């Protein structure tokens, strides 16, 4: 878990230094060109560039559980469940995923189970939180999965871990 804390600190520090844009219209030069794998689903998912939180803002950061720990999922806290979106890079293009279902509130607009869609991809996020710390202290997500399925029937389950952090 110390490694996860270090990764979060480095990501936040680096994104603060580079003035990273946080909308789905990130300039191409700031997008990683590295897909996560070579199969029909993983080849469509790319690493996200570092994300920066504004003052008084919270975000959910999820990294793929493997040695290079790429950031693959980001979700800002939203004021209402109606405008909740997540960010991923799909087919090399930053996308805002629209939430279509949720259950088991954690805090703010974060849920233990959430479902999103974008284009022909449906994504389901299931996560467990470590509630030993408050949201303002940074809530660890020691275990989570992102299940992806496309319209052709291809699917993959990504093991991820991360944190909900606030500025």
């Amino acid at each position: 878990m110390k490694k996860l804390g270090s990764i979060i600190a480095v990501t936040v520090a680096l994104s603060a230094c580079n003035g990273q844009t946080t909308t789905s219209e990130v300039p191409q030069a700031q997008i990683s060109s590295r897909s996560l794998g070579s199969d029909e689903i993983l080849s469509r998912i790319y690493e996200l560039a570092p994300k920066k939180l504004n003052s008084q803002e919270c975000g959910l950061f999820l990294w793929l559980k493997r040695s290079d720990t790429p950031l693959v999922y980001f979700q800002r806290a939203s004021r209402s469940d109606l405008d909740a979106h997540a960010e991923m890079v799909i087919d090399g293009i930053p996308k805002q995923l629209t939430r279509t279902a949720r259950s088991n509130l954690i805090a703010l607009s974060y849920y233990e189970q959430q479902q999103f869609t974008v284009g022909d991809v449906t994504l389901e996020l299931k996560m467990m939180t470590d509630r030993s710390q408050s949201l303002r202290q940074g809530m660890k997500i020691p275990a989570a999965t992102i299940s992806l399925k496309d319209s052709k029937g291809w699917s993959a389950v990504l093991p991820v871990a991360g944190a909900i952090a606030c500025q």
Side-chain angles (χ1 to χ4, degrees):
M1 278 302 156
K2 282 187 175 186
K3 181 179 178 185
L4 178 60
S6 298
I7 292 169
I8 292 170
V10 169
T11 300
V12 171
L14 287 175
S15 64
C17 292
N18 73 8
Q20 172 65 38
T21 304
T22 58
T23 68
S24 64
E25 298 174 4
V26 177
Q28 191 67 28
Q30 296 177 355
I31 299 171
S32 169
S33 61
R34 186 170 64 112
S35 71
L36 300 182
S38 59
D39 69 19
E40 287 75 8
I41 289 290
L42 288 180
S43 65
R44 298 184 65 190
I45 308 303
Y46 288 68
E47 180 176 5
L48 275 170
K51 298 295 174 183
K52 180 181 178 182
L53 295 175
N54 298 316
S55 179
Q56 304 297 310
E57 186 175 49
C58 297
L60 168 59
F61 299 83
L62 294 174
W63 289 270
L64 194 59
K65 277 188 166 181
R66 64 184 198 192
S67 61
D68 58 343
T69 61
L71 178 65
V72 295
Y73 176 98
F74 177 71
Q75 182 182 357
R76 290 186 192 281
S78 60
R79 297 194 195 290
S80 82
D81 284 338
L82 298 176
D83 63 349
H85 292 86
E87 295 178 38
M88 290 185 74
V89 178
I90 300 174
D91 297 328
I93 302 167
K95 303 281 185 172
Q96 280 202 348
L97 290 69
T98 302
R99 185 164 62 197
T100 56
R102 77 235 186 282
S103 63
N104 302 328
L105 180 66
I106 297 169
L108 300 173
S109 57
Y110 302 116
Y111 292 82
E112 289 179 352
Q113 295 184 358
Q114 301 182 80
Q115 188 171 12
F116 298 88
T117 59
V118 63
D120 71 332
V121 177
T122 300
L123 175 144
E124 184 176 6
L125 170 62
K126 293 182 180 179
M127 58 185 175
M128 297 175 59
T129 58
D130 176 357
R131 297 185 187 234
S132 64
Q133 292 184 292
S134 73
L135 189 62
R136 287 286 172 195
Q137 294 171 316
M139 190 175 284
K140 294 177 188 172
I141 311 294
T145 58
I146 297 174
S147 301
L148 300 149
K149 186 174 183 178
D150 72 11
S151 62
K152 295 177 185 172
W154 292 107
S155 62
V157 177
L158 308 176
V160 294
I164 298 173
C166 299
Q167 270 294 28

